[in-house]
Amino acid sequence: MRSRVADEGADTDAVTLMSRAGLEPDPWQKALLTSDWERALLNCARQSGKTTASAALALETALEATDNLVLILAPARRQSKEFLRSVRSLYRDANPDVGLDKQSELRLRLENESRIIALPGKEGTVRGYTADLVIADEAARVPDSAYVATRPMLAVSGGRFVGLSTPAGQRGWFYTAWKDKTQDWERVKVTGRDCPRMTEDFLEQERQEMGDWEFRNEYLCEFQDTTDQLFRTEDIEAALTSGREPLFSEDPSEHLTDREPLFSDE
Ligand SMILES: Nc1ncnc2c1ncn2[C@@H]1O[C@H](COP(=O)(O)OP(=O)(O)OP(=O)(O)O)[C@@H](O)[C@H]1O
Ligand SMILES: [Mg+2]
């Protein structure tokens, strides 16, 4: 990763903010926070510190200039609120010079007129903003439509995008962006073993108690076939051919089921 040139004398960079809050950044956090990238994917184990590092980026962006806008996307309102809570506690603990103007559960506005706004990841709600930084938390579960809607809002501002998640099967934009190396992303993988706060004993106990599939997903950051999948993804891909017309054109409504919706507000 190329280094970013820090503003001379600035005490609002993300690493300093974490340190002031009593959190010494882990090596991968420090590399992420001091590097020059436009789009980053963090495929990181549970509790490895991906939200904390991204909250520091959010705060840095809000503090470094007036009138900056940071948008937080998450699959559901509860997770958006949770992310903003992390930003708020970092702000409180780092105690930067710029004061807080207004705040609500999903919004934070600083006295320099920069804003951090958290949105549930639904396509309709993300339109109409021009952002300096977009953060997709639990990104593998943020719908493709919400991700796609963020692209134009960064194009004009030249802003940055970071998606952070544990994997959620071999599907969706996060998986595709991670796998497709023709796409230009900074890719950061942090397994449980890379996290200094997780011991081998803890990880072994987790493996035994949660089962192999979940352990590989949550702590080894592996994009695996989903447990309810009938055929392996690699078998499906091997069987696909683009050269033939489909035999039947199907009515998708026939496939609707009465299962729970994947995304809801709470
Ligand atoms: N560099 C650090 N030093 C000390 N503690 C840290 C550091 N980074 C994160 N933590 C702590 O580790 C815990 C988990 O951090 P965080 O919520 O950022 O992880 P996460 O990867 O987003 O977890 P989850 O997968 O559950 O969303 C928090 O208590 C946080 O304060
Ligand atoms: Mg998190």
Side-chain angles (χ1 to χ4, degrees):
M1 287 192 241
R2 267 183 302 143
S3 283
R4 294 174 83 204
V5 182
D7 287 349
E8 219 171 308
D11 63 353
T12 54
D13 67 275
V15 170
T16 307
L17 289 167
M18 278 187 70
S19 302
R20 284 176 60 154
L23 300 168
E24 219 37 62
D26 296 340
W28 74 267
Q29 289 174 322
K30 189 163 186 180
L32 176 81
L33 299 179
T34 55
S35 301
D36 191 17
W37 43 263
E38 275 174 28
R39 307 196 296 173
L41 296 172
L42 315 183
N43 174 14
C44 303
R46 292 297 314 278
Q47 289 291 295
S48 56
K50 54 194 176 299
T51 295
T52 303
S54 308
L57 275 179
L59 207 48
E60 172 189 273
T61 305
L63 289 166
E64 73 188 354
T66 59
D67 208 19
N68 270 354
L69 176 61
V70 179
L71 285 182
I72 315 300
L73 287 184
R77 189 183 171 86
R78 178 180 51 78
Q79 288 149 320
S80 290
K81 271 168 31 185
E82 202 54 47
F83 190 99
L84 205 65
R85 197 170 295 145
S86 300
V87 177
R88 215 178 276 124
S89 69
L90 187 66
Y91 176 87
R92 188 197 52 224
D93 296 343
N95 193 22
D97 289 340
V98 181
L100 202 55
D101 180 21
K102 282 184 196 157
Q103 59 169 321
S104 66
E105 266 186 341
L106 291 171
R107 283 167 184 249
L108 210 145
R109 185 185 152 110
L110 302 181
E111 279 173 352
N112 66 1
E113 297 193 16
S114 288
R115 291 165 298 156
I116 301 175
I117 300 179
L119 302 164
K122 288 189 178 162
E123 188 192 358
T125 59
V126 304
R127 292 185 185 279
Y129 291 102
T130 300
D132 300 284
L133 170 67
V134 174
I135 295 175
D137 198 4
E138 309 290 348
R141 293 182 171 80
V142 165
D144 287 9
S145 55
Y147 162 67
V148 168
T150 65
R151 299 177 62 111
M153 60 175 90
L154 290 165
V156 179
S157 62
R160 301 171 103 191
F161 179 95
V162 56
L164 48 140
S165 200
T166 46
Q170 298 184 358
R171 58 190 173 201
W173 69 269
F174 185 79
Y175 167 65
T176 306
W178 183 265
K179 192 181 74 157
D180 181 358
K181 298 298 188 289
T182 66
Q183 295 188 22
D184 188 18
W185 291 91
E186 189 70 47
R187 295 177 177 82
V188 179
K189 180 173 171 180
V190 182
T191 69
R193 295 191 184 110
D194 303 323
C195 177
R197 288 169 296 286
M198 292 183 207
T199 63
E200 270 301 324
D201 284 353
F202 166 78
L203 290 169
E204 188 46 39
Q205 191 180 345
E206 288 288 273
R207 182 200 290 281
Q208 284 173 17
E209 289 178 10
M210 69 200 306
D212 200 52
W213 194 96
E214 277 79 9
F215 183 79
R216 286 170 178 276
N217 195 75
E218 303 288 65
Y219 291 106
L220 300 186
C221 315
E222 291 180 11
F223 292 91
Q224 307 169 92
D225 280 344
T226 41
T227 44
D228 59 355
Q229 217 170 295
L230 204 51
F231 300 104
R232 294 188 309 158
T233 302
E234 63 183 270
D235 292 337
I236 296 169
E237 279 172 0
L240 288 176
T241 151
S242 55
R244 293 197 194 172
E245 288 293 311
L247 284 177
F248 305 103
S249 95
E250 297 187 19
D251 175 0
S253 64
E254 286 174 14
H255 299 285
L256 292 178
T257 68
D258 58 357
R259 275 198 277 168
E260 284 290 300
L262 282 178
F263 306 101
S264 69
D265 256 1
E266 269 305 338

